[in-house]
Amino acid sequence: MAVHYCGLCRRTSFSGRRHLYSAAHRRRLREALGRLQEEVAAARAAAAAAGDGDGGGAVRRYDPAEHERRVWCLCCGRGVRRDGRRGGLALPQAGLLQHLAGPEHRRETARFWRENRAEAALRERFLVPAEEYERFARALERALAAHQRREEERIRQMAAGIREAERRQRETVQAALQLQTEAELCAGPSVCSPAAGPERDSSHDAEQPGPSGVQTGPDLNWMESGQALTFIGHQETEGRGNVHTGAKPPWLTEEEEEDGSKQQIGPSYEEFLKQREKQKLRKLPAERVGANFDHTSQTGDSWLPSFGRVWNHGRRWQSRHQFRTESGEKKKKR
């Protein structure tokens, strides 16, 4: 009796190869080939789209969660990676097409069709001709070159934008330094002449007082009539200047006292030590012995240091004397 094992159905048949013609085997074979045929059709459609169009969809950014998928090849009996990879780019369907066009897949497909008695007319649907794969490879190379040109153009545009931003920044800094230099030159007793440009209203210039005739307030000509702000007067700086005239900010200057000594910021080191000792004493119980020691009591030099009585009042020897007196009275009463 011949024994036959079917790898597709995963069962052993004792009736020889008659199992291959059974309805159950034919149904499983048709379902398995249908799943593989869907994957092959999707791969060949992607190859046709890459060859007909500009190849923009043939190259994508690589994503491990999406482009690490494998397709089970029923003829070869192993998983095949569906998408290819070129550096940081993914090539959809490139891996599966390369496998379907290879000689190993063609040889294994012939063996599978022979062992499972599949229809011979369906075998070509699971194979990719070499000419078709070569056209797909050429279209893929063109797509990679076009993508590289687009990336280079994008990088050039970004570099141009960065250079333009740096140029504007340098111009802004130079203009600010020029204004600062003019303000320093105009800070003396002489009056600076106005800069060349369109004529300005002399009455408006006269209404803007400041050091050496320089306008220190904002220009309100841009505001409409009836929307003027209330003028509260200019802030006097007592000859020290401000940040608008190029002077050092007050929080960076070292202030001095009238007598010429520098003013110390914050508490001294001795005050810090005293405050730390007070913080330590706050953690101790308030009703401890000696917490409220009476420093006003008079004691001769011959006495030992006293730490106070039990009730934080008087001398310690008085507490001993009072205790003995009270004990003697209690004994007499008994």
Side-chain angles (χ1 to χ4, degrees), residues 286-294 307-315:
E287 299 298 331
R288 67 186 185 279
V289 177
N292 300 323
F293 177 70
D294 187 8
F307 300 95
R309 297 172 61 181
V310 178
W311 304 111
N312 299 322
H313 178 72
R315 313 306 301 170

PDB file of all heavy atoms in Angstrom, residues 286-294 307-315:
ATOM      1  N   ALA A 286       9.525  73.458  71.826  1.00  0.00           N
ATOM      2  CA  ALA A 286       9.476  74.788  72.444  1.00  0.00           C
ATOM      3  C   ALA A 286       9.468  74.725  73.971  1.00  0.00           C
ATOM      4  O   ALA A 286       9.886  75.673  74.643  1.00  0.00           O
ATOM      5  CB  ALA A 286       8.246  75.547  71.947  1.00  0.00           C
ATOM      6  N   GLU A 287       9.007  73.628  74.579  1.00  0.00           N
ATOM      7  CA  GLU A 287       8.888  73.516  76.031  1.00  0.00           C
ATOM      8  C   GLU A 287      10.049  72.777  76.661  1.00  0.00           C
ATOM      9  O   GLU A 287       9.926  72.228  77.754  1.00  0.00           O
ATOM     10  CB  GLU A 287       7.574  72.793  76.380  1.00  0.00           C
ATOM     11  CG  GLU A 287       6.333  73.497  75.897  1.00  0.00           C
ATOM     12  CD  GLU A 287       6.183  74.872  76.529  1.00  0.00           C
ATOM     13  OE1 GLU A 287       6.669  75.036  77.656  1.00  0.00           O
ATOM     14  OE2 GLU A 287       5.573  75.743  75.898  1.00  0.00           O
ATOM     15  N   ARG A 288      11.190  72.700  75.974  1.00  0.00           N
ATOM     16  CA  ARG A 288      12.337  71.990  76.542  1.00  0.00           C
ATOM     17  C   ARG A 288      12.959  72.818  77.663  1.00  0.00           C
ATOM     18  O   ARG A 288      12.729  74.034  77.756  1.00  0.00           O
ATOM     19  CB  ARG A 288      13.367  71.718  75.457  1.00  0.00           C
ATOM     20  CG  ARG A 288      14.017  72.986  74.925  1.00  0.00           C
ATOM     21  CD  ARG A 288      14.919  72.684  73.750  1.00  0.00           C
ATOM     22  NE  ARG A 288      15.640  73.864  73.302  1.00  0.00           N
ATOM     23  CZ  ARG A 288      15.141  74.797  72.520  1.00  0.00           C
ATOM     24  NH1 ARG A 288      13.874  74.687  72.104  1.00  0.00           N
ATOM     25  NH2 ARG A 288      15.862  75.849  72.168  1.00  0.00           N
ATOM     26  N   VAL A 289      13.756  72.150  78.480  1.00  0.00           N
ATOM     27  CA  VAL A 289      14.417  72.827  79.594  1.00  0.00           C
ATOM     28  C   VAL A 289      15.497  73.749  79.058  1.00  0.00           C
ATOM     29  O   VAL A 289      16.344  73.335  78.269  1.00  0.00           O
ATOM     30  CB  VAL A 289      15.016  71.789  80.560  1.00  0.00           C
ATOM     31  CG1 VAL A 289      15.784  72.505  81.693  1.00  0.00           C
ATOM     32  CG2 VAL A 289      13.916  70.920  81.138  1.00  0.00           C
ATOM     33  N   GLY A 290      15.449  74.988  79.498  1.00  0.00           N
ATOM     34  CA  GLY A 290      16.447  75.952  79.067  1.00  0.00           C
ATOM     35  C   GLY A 290      16.100  76.687  77.801  1.00  0.00           C
ATOM     36  O   GLY A 290      16.928  77.457  77.304  1.00  0.00           O
ATOM     37  N   ALA A 291      14.892  76.445  77.268  1.00  0.00           N
ATOM     38  CA  ALA A 291      14.539  77.125  76.024  1.00  0.00           C
ATOM     39  C   ALA A 291      14.368  78.613  76.252  1.00  0.00           C
ATOM     40  O   ALA A 291      14.771  79.433  75.414  1.00  0.00           O
ATOM     41  CB  ALA A 291      13.251  76.517  75.450  1.00  0.00           C
ATOM     42  N   ASN A 292      13.782  78.960  77.401  1.00  0.00           N
ATOM     43  CA  ASN A 292      13.564  80.374  77.727  1.00  0.00           C
ATOM     44  C   ASN A 292      14.427  80.769  78.932  1.00  0.00           C
ATOM     45  O   ASN A 292      13.948  81.133  79.996  1.00  0.00           O
ATOM     46  CB  ASN A 292      12.078  80.632  78.025  1.00  0.00           C
ATOM     47  CG  ASN A 292      11.209  80.294  76.831  1.00  0.00           C
ATOM     48  OD1 ASN A 292      11.619  80.529  75.711  1.00  0.00           O
ATOM     49  ND2 ASN A 292      10.031  79.745  77.092  1.00  0.00           N
ATOM     50  N   PHE A 293      15.699  80.628  78.783  1.00  0.00           N
ATOM     51  CA  PHE A 293      16.626  80.905  79.880  1.00  0.00           C
ATOM     52  C   PHE A 293      16.570  82.389  80.261  1.00  0.00           C
ATOM     53  O   PHE A 293      16.567  83.267  79.378  1.00  0.00           O
ATOM     54  CB  PHE A 293      18.038  80.508  79.471  1.00  0.00           C
ATOM     55  CG  PHE A 293      19.072  80.817  80.510  1.00  0.00           C
ATOM     56  CD1 PHE A 293      19.109  80.105  81.697  1.00  0.00           C
ATOM     57  CD2 PHE A 293      19.998  81.818  80.300  1.00  0.00           C
ATOM     58  CE1 PHE A 293      20.054  80.386  82.647  1.00  0.00           C
ATOM     59  CE2 PHE A 293      20.945  82.107  81.252  1.00  0.00           C
ATOM     60  CZ  PHE A 293      20.984  81.392  82.419  1.00  0.00           C
ATOM     61  N   ASP A 294      16.516  82.632  81.537  1.00  0.00           N
ATOM     62  CA  ASP A 294      16.435  83.999  82.053  1.00  0.00           C
ATOM     63  C   ASP A 294      17.847  84.564  82.148  1.00  0.00           C
ATOM     64  O   ASP A 294      18.618  84.224  83.048  1.00  0.00           O
ATOM     65  CB  ASP A 294      15.760  83.999  83.431  1.00  0.00           C
ATOM     66  CG  ASP A 294      15.511  85.422  83.917  1.00  0.00           C
ATOM     67  OD1 ASP A 294      15.729  86.359  83.116  1.00  0.00           O
ATOM     68  OD2 ASP A 294      15.081  85.575  85.069  1.00  0.00           O
ATOM     69  N   PHE A 307      21.569  76.661  84.110  1.00  0.00           N
ATOM     70  CA  PHE A 307      20.737  76.401  82.936  1.00  0.00           C
ATOM     71  C   PHE A 307      19.262  76.611  83.221  1.00  0.00           C
ATOM     72  O   PHE A 307      18.415  76.182  82.451  1.00  0.00           O
ATOM     73  CB  PHE A 307      20.954  74.961  82.453  1.00  0.00           C
ATOM     74  CG  PHE A 307      22.369  74.680  82.074  1.00  0.00           C
ATOM     75  CD1 PHE A 307      23.235  74.105  82.992  1.00  0.00           C
ATOM     76  CD2 PHE A 307      22.839  75.025  80.833  1.00  0.00           C
ATOM     77  CE1 PHE A 307      24.541  73.847  82.643  1.00  0.00           C
ATOM     78  CE2 PHE A 307      24.147  74.760  80.485  1.00  0.00           C
ATOM     79  CZ  PHE A 307      25.014  74.171  81.390  1.00  0.00           C
ATOM     80  N   GLY A 308      18.939  77.262  84.338  1.00  0.00           N
ATOM     81  CA  GLY A 308      17.555  77.591  84.608  1.00  0.00           C
ATOM     82  C   GLY A 308      16.828  76.495  85.358  1.00  0.00           C
ATOM     83  O   GLY A 308      17.271  75.353  85.455  1.00  0.00           O
ATOM     84  N   ARG A 309      15.703  76.856  85.918  1.00  0.00           N
ATOM     85  CA  ARG A 309      14.896  75.896  86.651  1.00  0.00           C
ATOM     86  C   ARG A 309      13.993  75.130  85.711  1.00  0.00           C
ATOM     87  O   ARG A 309      13.985  75.331  84.489  1.00  0.00           O
ATOM     88  CB  ARG A 309      14.068  76.647  87.702  1.00  0.00           C
ATOM     89  CG  ARG A 309      14.933  77.351  88.745  1.00  0.00           C
ATOM     90  CD  ARG A 309      14.096  78.222  89.640  1.00  0.00           C
ATOM     91  NE  ARG A 309      13.100  77.455  90.391  1.00  0.00           N
ATOM     92  CZ  ARG A 309      12.224  77.983  91.224  1.00  0.00           C
ATOM     93  NH1 ARG A 309      12.212  79.275  91.417  1.00  0.00           N
ATOM     94  NH2 ARG A 309      11.346  77.220  91.855  1.00  0.00           N
ATOM     95  N   VAL A 310      13.178  74.249  86.319  1.00  0.00           N
ATOM     96  CA  VAL A 310      12.302  73.403  85.524  1.00  0.00           C
ATOM     97  C   VAL A 310      11.288  74.251  84.769  1.00  0.00           C
ATOM     98  O   VAL A 310      10.946  73.983  83.627  1.00  0.00           O
ATOM     99  CB  VAL A 310      11.596  72.371  86.418  1.00  0.00           C
ATOM    100  CG1 VAL A 310      10.645  71.520  85.597  1.00  0.00           C
ATOM    101  CG2 VAL A 310      12.639  71.506  87.108  1.00  0.00           C
ATOM    102  N   TRP A 311      10.862  75.354  85.409  1.00  0.00           N
ATOM    103  CA  TRP A 311       9.839  76.212  84.780  1.00  0.00           C
ATOM    104  C   TRP A 311      10.469  77.387  84.054  1.00  0.00           C
ATOM    105  O   TRP A 311       9.814  78.400  83.813  1.00  0.00           O
ATOM    106  CB  TRP A 311       8.874  76.719  85.851  1.00  0.00           C
ATOM    107  CG  TRP A 311       8.240  75.615  86.622  1.00  0.00           C
ATOM    108  CD1 TRP A 311       8.454  75.305  87.918  1.00  0.00           C
ATOM    109  CD2 TRP A 311       7.310  74.665  86.134  1.00  0.00           C
ATOM    110  NE1 TRP A 311       7.724  74.216  88.307  1.00  0.00           N
ATOM    111  CE2 TRP A 311       6.994  73.788  87.208  1.00  0.00           C
ATOM    112  CE3 TRP A 311       6.711  74.437  84.904  1.00  0.00           C
ATOM    113  CZ2 TRP A 311       6.105  72.726  87.076  1.00  0.00           C
ATOM    114  CZ3 TRP A 311       5.829  73.377  84.788  1.00  0.00           C
ATOM    115  CH2 TRP A 311       5.531  72.548  85.850  1.00  0.00           C
ATOM    116  N   ASN A 312      11.767  77.240  83.654  1.00  0.00           N
ATOM    117  CA  ASN A 312      12.451  78.276  82.880  1.00  0.00           C
ATOM    118  C   ASN A 312      12.437  79.628  83.593  1.00  0.00           C
ATOM    119  O   ASN A 312      12.293  80.680  82.982  1.00  0.00           O
ATOM    120  CB  ASN A 312      11.818  78.436  81.482  1.00  0.00           C
ATOM    121  CG  ASN A 312      11.906  77.157  80.685  1.00  0.00           C
ATOM    122  OD1 ASN A 312      12.913  76.449  80.773  1.00  0.00           O
ATOM    123  ND2 ASN A 312      10.876  76.857  79.921  1.00  0.00           N
ATOM    124  N   HIS A 313      12.577  79.568  84.895  1.00  0.00           N
ATOM    125  CA  HIS A 313      12.568  80.819  85.655  1.00  0.00           C
ATOM    126  C   HIS A 313      13.453  80.629  86.892  1.00  0.00           C
ATOM    127  O   HIS A 313      13.346  79.617  87.597  1.00  0.00           O
ATOM    128  CB  HIS A 313      11.141  81.190  86.088  1.00  0.00           C
ATOM    129  CG  HIS A 313      11.087  82.443  86.906  1.00  0.00           C
ATOM    130  ND1 HIS A 313      11.282  83.692  86.363  1.00  0.00           N
ATOM    131  CD2 HIS A 313      10.864  82.611  88.243  1.00  0.00           C
ATOM    132  CE1 HIS A 313      11.180  84.591  87.335  1.00  0.00           C
ATOM    133  NE2 HIS A 313      10.939  83.967  88.482  1.00  0.00           N
ATOM    134  N   GLY A 314      14.301  81.563  87.177  1.00  0.00           N
ATOM    135  CA  GLY A 314      15.143  81.496  88.360  1.00  0.00           C
ATOM    136  C   GLY A 314      16.370  80.638  88.138  1.00  0.00           C
ATOM    137  O   GLY A 314      16.746  80.307  87.010  1.00  0.00           O
ATOM    138  N   ARG A 315      17.046  80.273  89.263  1.00  0.00           N
ATOM    139  CA  ARG A 315      18.282  79.504  89.219  1.00  0.00           C
ATOM    140  C   ARG A 315      17.994  78.035  89.476  1.00  0.00           C
ATOM    141  O   ARG A 315      16.959  77.656  90.026  1.00  0.00           O
ATOM    142  CB  ARG A 315      19.278  80.011  90.273  1.00  0.00           C
ATOM    143  CG  ARG A 315      19.430  81.514  90.309  1.00  0.00           C
ATOM    144  CD  ARG A 315      19.769  82.084  88.941  1.00  0.00           C
ATOM    145  NE  ARG A 315      20.994  81.533  88.441  1.00  0.00           N
ATOM    146  CZ  ARG A 315      21.442  81.692  87.191  1.00  0.00           C
ATOM    147  NH1 ARG A 315      20.725  82.396  86.340  1.00  0.00           N
ATOM    148  NH2 ARG A 315      22.572  81.162  86.810  1.00  0.00           N
TER     149      ARG A 315
END
